Amino acid sequence: MAKKIKPKKSKPKSRSLKPAVKKAAVSSGRVIYMDYAASTPVRKEVIDAMLPYMGEKFGNPSSPHGYGQEAREAIEESKERIAKTINASPEEIVFTSGSTESSVLGIKGIAYAKAGTGKHILSSVIEHDSVFSTCKSLVADGYMLSNLLVDIDGLISIADLRSKITPKTTLISIQHSNGEVGTIQPIEDVGRIAKEKNVTLHTDATFSYGWVPLDVKRMNVDLMTFDAHHSYGPKGIGALFIKEGTQIKPLLNSRGNQFRPGTLDIASMVGFATAAELAHKEMKSNYKNLVKMQKTFIDYVEENIKFVKLNGHISRRLPQNINFSFSGITGQELIKQLESNKVIASTSIDGRVLEAIGAKGEKFTGSVRFSFGKDTSPADVKTVLHLVQTLVERERKSY
């Protein structure tokens, strides 16, 4: 269950941490970036892999000559490398401009392809806006949408999901993890039910890809959204996994490419594949370090700052994600003060997710998300903890 609001303890469990945090100084000239859930820097290895395709390897993959064949081979190799990271086949990978396009293509493509069978879609109230808005837009086209509610931890109910499936249900779209509060959904259970009911399942795995293991066969998903820039790859490139045999309607007229018209961005595809391989090669060691720092952060805040609420599930959450609501200070104000002290974090803008899990109201007017990366250090965590405690306590005293 999610942590309850509780007062400061007289004897914190992490006694060894508190003195270290007290001594930590605010970053001297160096910005501490803790918004990796929004985007990550492009790794040098990725840039090095991309550069040849911006220079000497400039061929158009649609051309029949050697330059074109070289470009086409780079695309196919990139698909193969990415497919291996999710236990898929290269033919099941469709490159897109990013997660938003992937989700729109997946949701609308399935809805239109199966309109003759039924027009009922199941999703959840805490989906990313690219999914939430796309599903909602289909209502104007005569589709029926059922959005599952979530509990205080941000989890959907499997029993509720099962009860809402009807003979007209053709698509379920449930995120693998929530980018705001970090909760990981029971997608394997959703996949089992979807397969049993012969309903197509799409999952948005944007915030999970490269950070936690994903296996499309084990999860029984038919479509999966993910991209490059959330795991140290370039922006403007994403992918949609489409299970072999899945009926889906292209949204754009194209020539030579079933789903996307236009000349393909070879450099970004190669960069995506390189970032994907590196992220999955280092996933186990990164996960261990991230979870350790995450626990340090959560334990310290709950033991040393009064009237806080951890948003999202305590254990079923992404290893790099932490989201807290602090009574007495808005999320917008706290991130503003953090940035003035060279710490970058983020806050919820529309509040839809927080409202769904009951973390929005008079006591908690916002939240702050801290998300770590592979270069985040324990020293960074200690510095930020000290700063957050100082800022929150100072703001409360000013009332």
Side-chain angles (χ1 to χ4, degrees):
M1 291 183 64
K3 294 288 185 178
K4 307 295 184 182
I5 303 169
K6 56 186 180 180
K8 178 178 177 181
K9 295 182 179 180
S10 57
K11 293 183 179 181
K13 293 178 184 176
S14 6
R15 295 182 183 179
S16 60
L17 173 64
K18 191 170 182 180
V21 174
K22 290 275 188 178
K23 293 177 182 179
V26 176
S27 177
S28 56
R30 185 177 70 88
V31 173
I32 298 178
Y33 184 80
M34 285 196 171
D35 196 20
Y36 287 92
S39 193
T40 58
V42 181
R43 295 180 63 151
K44 183 181 183 302
E45 302 96 319
V46 173
I47 295 173
D48 289 344
M50 293 173 67
L51 284 176
Y53 295 90
M54 296 177 177
E56 65 267 25
K57 298 182 179 183
F58 59 88
N60 186 324
S62 299
S63 300
H65 48 63
Y67 281 72
Q69 290 176 11
E70 182 180 48
R72 172 55 58 184
E73 288 172 3
I75 294 173
E76 297 309 317
E77 182 185 350
S78 296
K79 285 186 177 182
E80 184 175 358
R81 293 162 70 190
I82 291 170
K84 285 180 180 179
T85 66
I86 59 172
N87 194 21
S89 301
E91 298 77 17
E92 298 174 311
I93 302 298
V94 173
F95 284 117
T96 67
S97 63
S99 287
T100 294
E101 183 186 337
S102 292
S103 291
V104 173
L105 171 60
I107 294 167
K108 288 193 171 184
I110 292 295
Y112 295 155
K114 302 182 78 172
T117 304
K119 287 190 170 185
H120 181 230
I121 299 169
L122 268 172
S123 192
S124 86
V125 295
I126 64 167
E127 299 296 312
H128 186 273
D129 190 62
S130 59
V131 171
F132 188 80
S133 296
T134 300
C135 289
K136 191 175 179 181
S137 71
L138 287 168
V139 175
D141 293 334
Y143 289 81
M144 180 181 294
L145 172 63
S146 297
N147 278 324
L148 301 175
L149 299 179
V150 295
D151 63 16
I152 60 172
D153 295 325
L155 286 171
I156 63 166
S157 163
I158 293 299
D160 188 29
L161 170 74
R162 184 183 285 276
S163 72
K164 284 184 167 58
I165 296 176
T166 76
K168 296 295 184 180
T169 306
T170 53
L171 173 66
I172 298 172
S173 184
I174 300 292
Q175 60 192 189
H176 184 270
S177 64
N178 184 271
E180 286 191 46
V181 299
T183 297
I184 297 176
Q185 299 291 349
I187 291 299
E188 288 187 40
D189 293 334
V190 177
R192 176 174 46 80
I193 294 170
K195 185 177 181 180
E196 174 190 319
K197 298 292 185 179
N198 195 31
V199 178
T200 301
L201 173 61
H202 165 258
T203 189
D204 177 4
T206 300
F207 296 96
S208 301
Y209 185 76
W211 300 92
V212 294
L214 296 169
D215 185 322
V216 293
K217 291 184 174 63
R218 189 181 69 244
M219 295 188 297
N220 278 316
V221 298
D222 300 292
L223 303 103
M224 188 172 79
T225 288
F226 56 109
D227 66 22
H229 83 92
H230 284 91
S231 52
Y232 299 93
K235 295 177 179 64
I237 184 74
L240 178 66
F241 159 77
I242 305 175
K243 184 178 178 181
E244 184 180 3
T246 301
Q247 287 185 313
I248 181 168
K249 184 177 181 179
L251 302 184
L252 299 171
N253 294 324
S254 63
R255 184 187 70 177
N257 186 316
Q258 185 181 0
F259 292 105
R260 301 189 75 226
T263 304
L264 302 175
D265 184 352
I266 314 299
S268 291
M269 293 174 183
V270 171
F272 190 174
T274 304
E277 285 185 336
L278 289 169
H280 284 76
K281 179 182 178 181
E282 300 168 1
M283 185 182 292
K284 189 174 181 179
S285 60
N286 284 338
Y287 184 93
K288 183 178 179 181
N289 293 332
L290 291 167
V291 167
K292 186 176 180 180
M293 289 188 292
Q294 183 186 61
K295 185 177 187 305
T296 295
F297 198 108
I298 291 173
D299 286 350
Y300 186 87
V301 169
E302 291 187 329
E303 292 169 355
N304 294 279
I305 304 178
K306 295 180 180 180
F307 310 121
V308 300
K309 182 183 185 299
L310 175 66
N311 298 314
H313 199 281
I314 184 61
S315 58
R316 288 188 61 92
R317 74 184 301 131
L318 294 171
Q320 76 278 24
N321 180 294
I322 297 167
N323 189 305
F324 271 109
S325 292
F326 300 88
S327 178
I329 184 171
T330 66
Q332 288 87 347
E333 181 60 28
L334 185 51
I335 65 164
K336 180 181 177 181
Q337 292 188 32
L338 285 168
E339 185 169 9
S340 69
N341 284 276
K342 298 181 180 178
V343 172
I344 306 299
S346 64
T347 187
S348 174
I349 302 300
D350 64 17
R352 174 167 51 85
V353 174
L354 296 178
E355 186 174 357
I357 63 174
K360 187 178 181 183
E362 292 182 5
K363 288 186 177 179
F364 299 106
T365 54
S367 71
V368 177
R369 179 186 67 187
F370 302 90
S371 48
F372 304 156
K374 67 183 184 65
D375 296 321
T376 305
S377 70
D380 291 336
V381 171
K382 292 177 180 179
T383 297
V384 173
L385 282 169
H386 173 57
L387 179 59
V388 169
Q389 183 177 9
T390 299
L391 293 176
V392 171
E393 292 178 351
R394 186 171 65 194
E395 183 70 15
R396 288 172 178 172
K397 287 178 182 178
S398 67
Y399 286 145

